[in-house]
Amino acid sequence: MAKIALITGITGQDGAYLAEFLIKKGYVVHGIKRRSSLFNTERIDHLYQDPHLENRNLILHYGDMTDSMNLTRIIGDVKPDEIYNLAAMSHVKVSFDTPEYTANADGIGTLRVLEAVRLLGLTDKTRIYQASTSELYGLVQEVPQKETTPFYPRSPYAVAKMYAYWITVNYREAYGMHASNGILFNHESPLRGETFVTRKVTRAVARIVLGLQKEVFMGNLSSKRDWGHAKDYIKAMYLILQQDTPDDYVISTGVTTSIRDFIKMTFAKLGVTVEFRGEDESEEGFIASVDETLFAQKVGLEYLAGFKDRVGMTVVKVDPAYFRPTEVDLLIGDNTKARTKLGWNPEYDLDSLCVDMITSDLTLMKKETFLRDGGYRINNYFE
Ligand code: NAP
Ligand code: GDP
């Protein structure tokens, strides 16, 4: 009998990679998606199967983390062996604008899943993975951060996730449930949401070198993140649920990089050297030089003539609108426990992650250039 997994948040970055990974392992995957006025299944369209087919291995259900009865009904119908609770309002800055909703979906939403499993008598059958986050460390109390480092959340998102973390631990201890937290540090990919910083940068850099956009407005350039690849991180989620004993694990790379350096690195992959001048809100990044051979090879010779004129010009500016009321300045994780106990070994480093993202966004944006040259202009994105 194939194992059955239920993924909340299947339409998100991690949900899409995890669904594909579990299907390849022979699982039948059920996913919860929200009703939306537009299709929101782009990340999993390649896995979609017609509901009229027999023996499907991907089945979608409408649902929402704020609706207990809906979650209880789906879990009761599906009776999953494993639940991956990935659904969340996952954007830190947006959580300051929608704090109550974030608490409901990200905090109480987790309780709803745990309580449904308990009330349905699935405590011994269903294993639960909770998508916890390095944002819990917030104002960091220790460098690097590990499983025993005290939490100090710095946003409504992180505070909601703190409730979710502890209610998961509590259900494990109170009812003997196989419920575990993955404390995942930031992980990115070509599927990352467009308003998270790495994807915002790779999209903007692609558009700037293709002449589709002049500059990009950023927030705090000095904060540092420990970035890994989502493809590696979903494997850790799976490994956590295959352990005999439930437990909590830090998943990270152990390397931290500033936003400023990530911007430089992304331009450099295309032969463009960007340097920064000025401070705080007046800081700006400008094009210092272009390696024409590398640019022609990575971007395309046809874009070189136009781009060369831009040497000396500003391509990055700071807009305080992107600052957060309280910031998380530094994250860097110690993944020793995951490596030794789970045998987890990431394949990507930041360099290969950056190449994967910029290559993908260049391809996407070239389609846009093609559309523009055909007489159709898509909006300028500054988000
Ligand atoms: P994501 O791309 O933003 O995906 C979030 C998913 O949750 C989407 O499928 C979204 O649906 C769904 N969702 C949001 N609110 C919902 C609600 N009320 N009811 C049902 N579904 C809802 O996030 P991700 O990067 O894949 O991250 C997955 C999980 O890991 C999240 O819980 C996130 O907070 C956590 N996490 C992420 C990172 C990271 O660096 N990526 C690090 C640590 C922890 P729509 O597609 O309809 O919006
Ligand atoms: P987070 O770590 O979950 O908040 O992930 P993000 O990718 O949203 O942000 C990572 C870091 O980048 C934070 O310290 C942000 O303040 C910083 N940052 C700087 N400029 C921007 C920006 O324009 N957008 C976003 N999302 N973050 C930015």
Side-chain angles (χ1 to χ4, degrees):
M1 282 283 282
K3 272 195 182 177
I4 299 175
L6 174 65
I7 304 177
T8 72
I10 195 165
T11 57
Q13 169 188 254
D14 292 3
Y17 282 124
L18 180 65
E20 185 169 353
F21 175 82
L22 292 177
I23 287 170
K24 281 197 188 131
K25 286 223 168 276
Y27 278 66
V28 172
V29 172
H30 291 253
I32 298 184
K33 68 162 182 163
R34 295 193 282 183
R35 192 271 159 180
S36 128
S37 67
L38 292 168
F39 286 125
N40 63 344
T41 52
E42 202 178 314
R43 292 186 178 107
I44 50 167
D45 280 348
H46 61 295
L47 304 172
Y48 181 79
Q49 292 166 333
D50 190 306
H52 305 96
L53 288 176
E54 276 177 29
N55 301 323
R56 282 183 295 156
N57 52 20
L58 179 74
I59 298 152
L60 298 179
H61 308 259
Y62 279 112
D64 200 292
M65 295 305 290
T66 60
D67 185 337
S68 326
M69 284 188 270
N70 155 271
L71 289 173
T72 307
R73 179 178 55 73
I74 295 171
I75 294 171
D77 287 351
V78 172
K79 298 189 179 48
D81 298 296
E82 298 171 5
I83 296 179
Y84 295 86
N85 184 34
L86 310 186
M89 201 310 287
S90 64
H91 202 283
V92 169
K93 176 73 161 60
V94 176
S95 78
F96 287 96
D97 299 327
T98 60
E100 182 183 343
Y101 172 72
T102 305
N104 192 1
D106 300 13
I108 311 291
T110 304
L111 171 67
R112 292 184 180 105
V113 170
L114 292 161
E115 186 65 355
V117 168
R118 189 175 80 86
L119 294 179
L120 290 162
L122 295 170
T123 306
D124 293 334
K125 174 182 170 70
T126 305
R127 297 181 172 195
I128 301 172
Y129 171 86
Q130 169 55 24
S132 286
T133 165
S134 54
E135 288 293 316
L136 294 171
Y137 297 118
L139 188 62
V140 297
Q141 304 293 296
E142 190 177 19
V143 180
Q145 296 85 53
K146 48 183 187 279
E147 289 79 2
T148 49
T149 304
F151 296 148
Y152 194 140
R154 292 269 280 177
S155 62
Y157 167 75
V159 174
K161 285 282 189 177
M162 180 129 164
Y163 176 84
Y165 174 94
W166 281 115
I167 200 69
T168 301
V169 173
N170 182 243
Y171 270 57
R172 174 167 85 214
E173 293 174 352
Y175 306 117
M177 286 167 70
H178 196 297
S180 302
N181 286 288
I183 309 171
L184 270 54
F185 282 61
N186 296 47
H187 45 283
E188 322 291 312
S189 74
L191 297 188
R192 183 63 145 148
E194 289 88 346
T195 60
F196 292 92
V197 76
T198 54
R199 187 76 200 289
K200 176 169 167 176
V201 168
T202 57
R203 276 169 55 91
V205 170
R207 292 175 59 85
I208 289 168
V209 295
L210 295 176
L212 291 169
Q213 183 172 318
K214 250 176 63 192
E215 57 201 3
V216 61
F217 290 89
M218 304 295 304
N220 179 4
L221 297 169
S222 299
S223 62
K224 290 180 149 188
R225 288 292 180 275
D226 178 334
W227 284 298
H229 199 302
K231 276 189 185 167
D232 283 326
Y233 284 42
I234 56 103
K235 289 182 192 159
M237 298 176 185
Y238 166 76
L239 287 173
I240 288 172
L241 288 201
Q242 308 319 306
Q243 305 307 302
D244 291 338
T245 319
D247 204 348
D248 309 315
Y249 297 87
V250 160
I251 306 297
S252 67
T253 69
V255 175
T256 194
T257 309
S258 71
I259 313 304
R260 190 182 294 103
D261 284 344
F262 184 78
I263 296 173
K264 286 182 170 181
M265 174 187 275
T266 310
F267 274 109
K269 298 287 172 225
L270 308 179
V272 180
T273 303
V274 163
E275 286 174 8
F276 283 84
R277 60 189 165 208
E279 275 179 32
D280 303 325
E281 292 172 25
S282 314
E283 184 167 355
E284 55 180 31
F286 64 98
I287 302 172
S289 62
V290 185
D291 175 334
E292 297 187 11
T293 314
L294 191 56
F295 188 96
Q297 192 192 337
K298 299 290 178 193
V299 185
L301 189 58
E302 63 273 38
Y303 299 100
L304 183 60
F307 190 74
K308 269 197 312 193
D309 293 344
R310 309 225 48 227
V311 173
M313 290 189 186
T314 299
V315 280
V316 182
K317 285 184 178 164
V318 172
D319 180 349
Y322 295 114
F323 293 167
R324 283 120 196 238
T326 39
E327 176 63 288
V328 173
D329 294 317
L330 166 72
L331 291 174
I332 177 166
D334 175 348
N335 60 21
T336 309
K337 183 174 172 185
R339 282 184 185 271
T340 50
K341 291 205 166 170
L342 300 175
W344 178 73
N345 257 318
E347 284 173 28
Y348 286 82
D349 59 9
L350 184 60
D351 210 58
S352 47
L353 167 67
C354 183
V355 169
D356 194 22
M357 293 180 72
I358 187 62
T359 307
S360 165
D361 276 330
L362 260 181
T363 308
L364 278 178
M365 298 307 161
K366 277 185 180 169
K367 286 189 195 144
E368 195 176 313
T369 321
F370 172 77
L371 290 174
R372 181 197 60 182
D373 292 346
Y376 180 70
R377 186 80 173 90
I378 293 178
N379 291 332
N380 254 324
Y381 294 102
F382 288 110
E383 272 300 306

